[in-house]
Amino acid sequence: MKFSTIEYVIREVFFSFRRNSWMAIASVSTVAVSLFVFGMFLVIVMNMNKMIDTLESQVEISVYLEDSVAQAQIGRVEEKIASMQGIAEVRFIDRDTALARFRERLGEQQFLLDALGEKNPLPNGFEVRVHRPDMVKTAAAAIGQIEGVEVVKYGQDVVEHLFDITRLIRIFGVALMFLLAGATLFIISNTIRLTVIARRKEIAIMKYVGATDWFIRWPFLLEGVFLGCIGGLVAAAVLWGAYGMITAKVYETLAFFPLIPAHPFLLYILLVILVCGVLIGALGSTISLKRFLKA
Amino acid sequence: MIEMKDVSKIYENGAVALEHVNVEISKGEFVFIVGASGAGKSTFIRLLFREVLPSDGTLVVNGFDVVGMDHGDVPYLRRGLGVIFQDFRLLPDKTVFENVAFAMQVIEAPRRRIQHSVNAVLDIVGLRDKYKCFPSQLSGGEQQRVAIARAIVNNPALVIADEPTGNLDPETSWEIMDIFKRINGSGTTIVMATHDKHIVDTMKRRVIAIEDGHIVRDEAQGVYGYEV
């Protein structure tokens, strides 16, 4: 593209902003709101994923032995577990200790256990820690194969529950995002269409004198990209501020809560938001121009 | 310059505008297309710069196969043509100079050449001293002269005019025709649709008469017709 053409394109975009300033503001706001919500969901989902990771890494593997396992065999099972790869610690929990712990956890509802009388329904078992969180699953499976082991648990209930919640948020987020993307596209393409209609005489003349489609398209495309880009910047700025505030608050009150630190995580999110804004802007103007360039 | 073979144009609503039309126009000719309103004149004109496509037949304009060409090549066909309309079609918020320069800007001509060429064509149409005026400050004849300047600024091989004098009084019309004569004198082919009998009869150029979508007369030094 020639320099004089670039100058022409930029001038046209500038004029168009002035001519339709209200519509431009409306589009920028819509883009900003949509992208902010989009960014929010990204942040939430990614934080949930991180939380799942943390929880998985913290969980112990609980191994319960069959009642038939004799005292002598217990030591062999322990050795077997300890010799497996990635095992950090194996601790034997006999059934009495287990019952005592259970009683403690029940607190005021301890009387429930009185119904059992002298019988202890809990099995002997081990608490096993692994070196790395991604080893939990394989280690648990391997332990389950050992003779005399009845059940192996590693808090998969909590993890699976979190997965469910994340999946729900993800589905909801994606649905909302599609809706918002549709609304944003609609608003942007409408804004550009106002410009196109205001200039349709000019476009017709451009075509009569032999302007290429791309020459005609550039100013409009750039206008859409600008609208999307500015909206994206606003959304990014607001999200940046909001995340900073939330993390500060959370660390104050729930220090153990594993939020992803803003840097560099948020930068990627902001980049994604900006790119989305640009894409939506470009797509919006392409849609509104399509009809005018056909003939 | 123009080769129209067995061209028909039927619009989507079923209206038959042209039927089996055969015309050949050579370089440097000055041709009037005459006929009543709705006879197919406008369609004939619009086919030439590919504003509409023939439903049938072949059409070659200035070396371009109008029917078979890619959409992306249409701008290059039009760069070799100058189109003039009855309603001038100037941009109201641009000056005379800018209106003419616009035609060169959009095909990305270098700035220095724009300056030079625009001044030259404004000389031809006699509006050099009004280059700063806006269209609203000009008379109808002057506006049409600006439109002509815009049409010829890129040195087209063919000028297509659709009722260029339709909105003008007789005297002004003659000023426009004088300009056309001069343009034609420099070798540019001119195809002009009109129903101004006086102009056609006085100019004594080739006349193609269209009636109900058919060419009913094609004479080298024709007149408008007998029953108008």
Side-chain angles (χ1 to χ4, degrees), chain B:
Chain B
M1 181 58 57
I2 298 172
E3 246 185 79
M4 206 181 264
K5 275 190 195 143
D6 204 27
V7 163
S8 299
K9 177 63 193 176
I10 300 155
Y11 285 103
E12 272 166 31
N13 60 11
V16 180
L18 290 175
E19 241 183 335
H20 306 298
V21 171
N22 289 287
V23 172
E24 210 165 297
I25 294 172
S26 316
K27 188 168 163 35
E29 276 196 272
F30 193 133
V31 183
F32 288 114
I33 312 292
V34 302
S37 305
K41 255 183 351 218
S42 270
T43 300
F44 185 93
I45 290 287
R46 290 166 71 199
L47 282 171
L48 298 183
F49 58 97
R50 204 176 186 267
E51 184 157 80
V52 294
L53 270 171
S55 316
D56 204 8
T58 61
L59 173 59
V60 176
V61 175
N62 197 20
F64 285 88
D65 171 12
V66 170
V67 182
M69 71 195 300
D70 280 345
H71 176 75
D73 288 334
V74 175
Y76 303 98
L77 159 75
R78 289 182 181 162
R79 284 176 196 193
L81 314 175
V83 190
I84 297 157
F85 301 94
Q86 183 172 1
D87 54 359
F88 322 139
R89 302 202 185 169
L90 301 176
L91 295 168
D93 53 353
K94 282 186 164 41
T95 64
V96 166
F97 185 92
E98 287 165 349
N99 261 289
V100 179
F102 187 65
M104 296 187 78
Q105 258 168 27
V106 303
I107 63 167
E108 305 187 72
R111 197 181 302 232
R112 190 175 297 173
R113 220 181 74 212
I114 294 180
Q115 185 78 30
H116 178 262
S117 303
V118 173
N119 285 333
V121 289
L122 285 180
D123 269 339
I124 293 176
V125 299
L127 284 175
R128 178 79 176 262
D129 51 334
K130 297 210 169 179
Y131 74 99
K132 268 186 176 168
C133 293
F134 287 93
S136 57
Q137 297 168 307
L138 302 176
S139 71
E142 286 169 330
Q143 288 186 46
Q144 192 59 295
R145 274 146 64 186
V146 177
I148 293 171
R150 184 181 63 197
I152 61 172
V153 75
N154 288 324
N155 283 315
L158 168 66
V159 168
I160 300 160
D162 192 3
E163 306 268 7
T165 61
N167 283 354
L168 306 175
D169 59 63
E171 201 183 319
T172 317
S173 299
W174 277 112
E175 289 171 23
I176 299 296
M177 292 318 296
D178 274 341
I179 296 173
F180 277 144
K181 262 196 268 186
R182 257 183 292 148
I183 297 169
N184 180 236
S186 67
T188 307
T189 313
I190 295 185
V191 177
M192 169 171 160
T194 184
H195 46 229
D196 189 325
K197 174 177 162 52
H198 187 58
I199 287 178
V200 177
D201 289 353
T202 314
M203 295 272 290
K204 297 230 168 11
R205 302 296 181 119
R206 181 172 169 193
V207 174
I208 296 173
I210 301 181
E211 244 173 60
D212 290 332
H214 295 270
I215 291 185
V216 291
R217 194 153 51 82
D218 186 348
E219 294 168 344
Q221 295 194 323
V223 289
Y224 190 87
Y226 309 98
E227 68 292 31
V228 174

Side-chain angles (χ1 to χ4, degrees), chain A residues 58-77:
Chain A
Q58 282 172 353
V59 292
E60 287 176 331
I61 303 171
S62 302
V63 181
Y64 301 107
L65 297 177
E66 282 166 15
D67 281 343
S68 60
V69 177
Q71 200 68 27
Q73 281 180 291
I74 290 175
R76 288 228 307 276
V77 174

Side-chain angles (χ1 to χ4, degrees), chain A residues 1-5 7-8 12 19 201-202 205-213 215 293-295, chain B residues 49 51 71 75-76 78-79 83 85 89-92 94 102-103 105-109 111 150 154:
Chain A
M1 207 187 318
K2 295 195 173 129
F3 180 72
S4 57
T5 308
E7 194 190 320
Y8 157 85
E12 293 299 321
R19 190 159 25 196
K201 263 179 140 177
E202 216 169 314
I205 292 166
M206 286 165 108
K207 283 163 77 176
Y208 291 140
V209 297
T212 57
D213 280 359
F215 186 90
L293 287 179
K294 238 182 187 164
Chain B
F49 58 97
E51 184 157 80
H71 176 75
Y76 303 98
R78 289 182 181 162
R79 284 176 196 193
V83 190
F85 301 94
R89 302 202 185 169
L90 301 176
L91 295 168
K94 282 186 164 41
F102 187 65
Q105 258 168 27
V106 303
I107 63 167
E108 305 187 72
R111 197 181 302 232
R150 184 181 63 197
N154 288 324

